[in-house]
Amino acid sequence: MNNFIFSNHDTVELARKYGTPLYVLSEDIITSNAEIMKNAFEKCNIDYEINYAGKAFLTVAMCKIIENAGLSLDVVSGGELYTAIKAGFPMERVCFHGSNKSIAEIEMAFDYKVGKVVADSEYELGVLDRIAEEKKYTPKVMVRVSPGIEAHTHEYVQTGRIDSKFGVPLKLMGKVLSDVCKFSNLNIIGLHCHIGSQIFDEKPFLIAAETMLKLMKGLEENGFEMKQLNLGGGFGIPYLKDDSVFDIDEYVQKLVEFAKDKCRELGLEFPKLLVEPGRFIVGTAGVTLYEIGTVKEIPHTRKYVSVDGGMADNPRPGLYDALYHAVVANKMTFSDEDEELVTVSGRCCETDTLITDVLLPKCEAGDILAVLNTGAYNYSMSSNYNRLPKPAVVLLKGDKDQVIVERETYEDIVSKDRLPNWYK
Ligand SMILES: Cc1ncc(COP(=O)(O)O)c(C=O)c1O
């Protein structure tokens, strides 16, 4: 077979059947990634919880996959929470996150009795407490800490630095929690931190664990016993052929041994450990299929291969120089002489480069380009820039394929437009 096969499906046939651009997602790969992470924790014989970070990719069908895989769900907005509600996701397994939650969102989270809320600031603890009192409901709350750790990843996705909008600065935690007695309507069960995304080095994760355990001990000495520690997500996945693979098994083992040692040293009871992976669960489970249109060669300069999507369906290259690999799905067998270095351009009215340099077999209009590992932060970050309808999402499971998000139509694009009275 000359075509690119993804999760046992011929991607050229998928492109023909559903049109392009097309997000393709494999349930089998998502489930396998979830299993890898669960097994890593199971082996350590500890109390743990894996919260899938819905921001990476969330639809009603995805909630079902996550529920069946036995994971919990981290949501960061009323929209993500509503998706989980629509899917009938068990609310006790939902953790409500977000750096500036609205009052309406907090009320919604309490009304639906989500399992946990992560408070992002002292101000928010006060708001949560007030709403909890009004609703006569005592939510389980974790407090997000900004641990002051620099992870080796793009600065836009470093979220645990001192200079960060997220979480309570480490140095202020003592003060914030000494005020905790003010928050008598909250059940504060633990601490949270998330140091960044697409991290391959395990060292910053271990430093974060140590920092947080010391903080927990300090707080315990001041009468605030915490039983749960959420170390966030951020586990890197390979985007390019030569990228390394984050060995989750080895990492979890190291983390647990390290944390057990630290707890022993500190005289702290080993807490329940939580993680919040998004990319690790869904990133490798997706590919995006495009049809190639214009191929433009600028002599001695560059060859541009244009596709029928771009920054509207994948803003990551433009946002933080994210790198991707691609293949020509209908030309999987070719000789080295047929290969050429090209730049893959999106169709939007910006530079809109999807991949700066990639070796591809000679491309022609009508070829199908498959950009790999687009499962995370592509559909969820997509926009209607240039009034482009969003692509459909097709889910693969075994030999089955089915649309889980319909392709938008031009009518969808104008459906929320209204003419003011003076033009009617
Ligand atoms: C608080 C929090 N948790 C989890 C995640 C998921 O990160 P990743 O997809 O890199 O695992 C993010 C990503 O931004 C985050 O901000």
Side-chain angles (χ1 to χ4, degrees):
M1 174 75 70
N2 200 16
N3 292 345
F4 172 50
I5 304 298
F6 176 68
S7 200
N8 292 319
H9 288 253
D10 182 327
T11 54
V12 178
E13 276 177 22
L14 290 171
R16 238 178 251 137
K17 182 170 173 184
Y18 296 105
T20 57
L22 183 70
Y23 296 114
V24 180
L25 201 66
S26 162
E27 178 162 348
D28 297 334
I29 299 178
I30 296 170
T31 308
S32 152
N33 290 341
E35 278 303 309
I36 290 171
M37 190 158 275
K38 273 199 312 191
N39 288 340
F41 278 96
E42 281 297 323
K43 277 188 216 159
C44 298
N45 232 343
I46 56 162
D47 193 10
Y48 74 94
E49 188 174 338
I50 302 169
N51 289 312
Y52 166 67
K55 71 200 79 179
F57 177 88
L58 200 69
T59 68
V60 170
M62 185 63 179
C63 290
K64 288 284 179 207
I65 299 173
I66 291 304
E67 183 185 353
N68 287 346
L71 306 190
S72 297
L73 178 64
D74 158 30
V75 298
V76 292
S77 68
E80 288 189 358
L81 176 58
Y82 190 73
T83 307
I85 293 164
K86 276 287 194 190
F89 195 90
M91 284 296 125
E92 67 280 7
R93 276 160 56 189
V94 170
C95 175
F96 189 50
H97 242 294
S99 65
N100 189 22
K101 304 169 190 71
S102 72
I103 288 178
E105 285 174 325
I106 294 170
E107 286 176 344
M108 181 176 172
F110 287 2
D111 287 344
Y112 282 93
K113 300 196 167 29
V114 298
K116 293 185 193 77
V117 178
V118 177
D120 212 88
S121 63
E122 181 171 16
Y123 162 76
E124 195 176 271
L125 279 164
V127 175
L128 290 170
D129 187 63
R130 179 171 56 72
I131 299 174
E133 185 176 21
E134 280 164 20
K135 296 220 169 256
K136 308 216 173 326
Y137 172 64
T138 310
K140 287 186 184 143
V141 174
M142 301 186 86
V143 183
R144 181 166 182 173
V145 179
S146 175
I149 290 162
E150 308 265 335
H152 297 285
T153 185
H154 195 288
E155 66 171 312
Y156 291 4
V157 286
Q158 287 183 359
T159 53
R161 299 184 303 179
I162 290 172
D163 186 359
S164 163
K165 74 168 180 177
F166 300 104
V168 178
L170 191 62
K171 282 196 179 135
L172 299 185
M173 272 305 287
K175 179 198 167 299
V176 168
L177 286 182
S178 65
D179 289 345
V180 147
C181 20
K182 285 192 316 209
F183 309 127
S184 55
N185 301 290
L186 309 180
N187 177 11
I188 299 183
I189 57 166
L191 298 181
H192 171 282
C193 72
H194 170 78
I195 56 173
S197 229
Q198 189 57 0
I199 301 168
F200 286 97
D201 182 4
E202 51 199 35
K203 225 179 281 156
F205 286 119
L206 299 183
I207 297 171
E210 179 171 11
T211 307
M212 297 297 283
L213 289 168
K214 282 183 176 159
L215 176 61
M216 285 173 102
K217 179 64 186 173
L219 295 173
E220 188 188 87
E221 284 169 355
N222 286 290
F224 307 113
E225 209 184 335
M226 307 256 173
K227 300 272 190 211
Q228 301 196 18
L229 174 59
N230 188 332
L231 291 170
F235 316 110
I237 62 161
Y239 280 100
L240 301 181
K241 272 200 248 166
D242 298 330
D243 277 355
S244 45
V245 174
F246 189 87
D247 188 335
I248 205 78
D249 222 40
E250 192 183 296
Y251 161 67
V252 171
Q253 219 168 322
K254 263 193 201 161
L255 170 73
V256 170
E257 274 166 28
F258 179 82
K260 278 186 175 165
D261 282 348
K262 289 293 154 202
C263 284
R264 231 172 276 127
E265 272 171 35
L266 293 165
L268 187 71
E269 198 183 313
F270 193 81
K272 175 175 178 177
L273 276 190
L274 293 90
V275 284
E276 266 167 12
R279 190 188 314 272
F280 183 86
I281 301 295
V282 76
T284 55
V287 298
T288 307
L289 305 179
Y290 302 98
E291 184 173 322
I292 291 172
T294 303
V295 177
K296 167 181 168 179
E297 179 149 25
I298 307 172
H300 316 295
T301 307
R302 188 179 292 280
K303 191 166 196 174
Y304 285 98
V305 169
S306 290
V307 294
D308 56 354
M311 61 186 289
D313 60 77
N314 183 2
R316 295 188 67 251
L319 267 180
Y320 24 72
D321 304 323
L323 303 174
Y324 284 94
H325 184 55
V327 294
V328 179
N330 53 308
K331 291 180 177 165
M332 292 304 283
T333 38
F334 52 88
S335 62
D336 288 354
E337 303 93 73
D338 289 339
E339 252 184 348
E340 49 188 19
L341 195 65
V342 301
T343 286
V344 177
S345 295
R347 56 165 293 170
C348 289
C349 300
E350 302 278 329
T351 304
D352 194 4
T353 299
L354 274 181
I355 308 178
T356 302
D357 283 322
V358 59
L359 276 171
L360 294 178
K362 224 174 188 30
C363 296
E364 298 154 287
D367 284 342
I368 300 298
L369 188 83
V371 177
L372 311 185
N373 297 331
T374 57
Y377 305 107
N378 273 229
Y379 170 73
S380 63
M381 284 184 152
S382 62
S383 75
N384 291 116
Y385 181 52
N386 286 171
R387 297 231 120 182
L388 292 171
K390 289 186 187 174
V393 184
V394 167
L395 186 70
L396 312 177
K397 183 175 184 166
D399 60 1
K400 295 192 281 283
D401 51 272
Q402 202 169 325
V403 170
I404 58 164
V405 181
E406 297 274 357
R407 183 179 299 285
E408 284 182 350
T409 61
Y410 290 137
E411 207 41 51
D412 291 329
I413 294 284
V414 294
S415 64
K416 296 280 188 277
D417 290 11
R418 300 290 178 266
L419 270 180
N421 289 339
W422 54 90
Y423 280 116
K424 281 182 184 164

